[in-house]
Amino acid sequence: MKYRDPRRVTDFPAIILVDGERRAVEIREISRSGVKVAGLPDGLDDDADGANNLTLSVLNHRVACQVR
């Protein structure tokens, strides 16, 4: 698989809010088009039609996100 945007490897701690519940995760890779996150809870699904309300909290910034 070839990525369009260069990816940078990192080990950056973050918090993800899944339907309002806080979980500690780690950002493993980052690019202009997205991030690769380790430690997501089981059961998150990209074809759940918005069943999961996800927010990534990094450095006091909150970003709405989705699983792909």
Side-chain angles (χ1 to χ4, degrees), residues 4 21 25 43:
R4 293 182 181 181
E21 181 180 329
V25 295

Side-chain angles (χ1 to χ4, degrees), residues 31-52:
S31 73
R32 287 176 30 167
S33 60
V35 297
K36 181 178 182 180
V37 178
L40 290 174
D42 293 333
L44 294 182
D45 198 342
D46 63 345
D47 54 48
D49 280 340
N52 299 109

Side-chain angles (χ1 to χ4, degrees), residues 57-62:
S57 179
V58 181
L59 296 173
N60 296 322
H61 294 282
R62 291 188 175 188

Side-chain angles (χ1 to χ4, degrees), residues 1-31:
M1 178 186 289
K2 186 175 181 179
Y3 295 106
R4 293 182 181 181
D5 291 326
R7 299 178 85 66
R8 305 288 185 240
V9 177
T10 184
D11 288 328
F12 198 82
I15 300 292
I16 192 146
L17 294 113
V18 181
D19 296 326
E21 181 180 329
R22 296 170 55 95
R23 299 278 304 244
V25 295
E26 186 175 280
I27 297 174
R28 294 280 175 93
E29 294 179 3
I30 190 165
S31 73

